[in-house]
Amino acid sequence: MKNRLEELRKQHGVKQEELANALEVSRQTIGSLENGRYNPSILLAFKIAGYFGVSIEDIFIYEEEEQ
């Protein structure tokens, strides 16, 4: 799953540490999300979307795997 988290965070002038504190996760979690190494729980996805005032679909892009 791809995401636009880093793009949104930078547009809003928010540091990884600030976002992590607001979402009650570690800075490493934010970095892992931005680099695509980690997919968030649905609860965290809703928290991130709420923080930026957008829908989950505006941040996280699901791509079906080719079979």
Side-chain angles (χ1 to χ4, degrees):
M1 177 166 51
K2 294 183 178 181
N3 71 71
R4 298 179 50 233
L5 182 56
E6 183 176 12
E7 176 187 337
L8 276 172
R9 181 179 58 75
K10 288 181 176 179
Q11 282 177 357
H12 287 83
V14 178
K15 295 181 180 177
Q16 282 186 341
E17 188 73 31
E18 295 169 331
L19 181 57
N21 289 337
L23 299 174
E24 299 177 328
V25 297
S26 69
R27 188 202 54 77
Q28 289 82 0
T29 297
I30 301 301
S32 292
L33 284 166
E34 290 181 353
N35 291 319
R37 293 190 306 259
Y38 173 72
N39 290 327
S41 67
I42 192 71
L43 180 60
L44 181 54
F46 272 108
K47 284 183 174 183
I48 293 167
Y51 180 87
F52 290 110
V54 298
S55 71
I56 289 175
E57 293 86 359
D58 288 336
I59 303 172
F60 299 98
I61 300 101
Y62 174 72
E63 295 178 333
E64 288 193 38
E65 295 179 21
E66 292 187 26
Q67 302 195 6

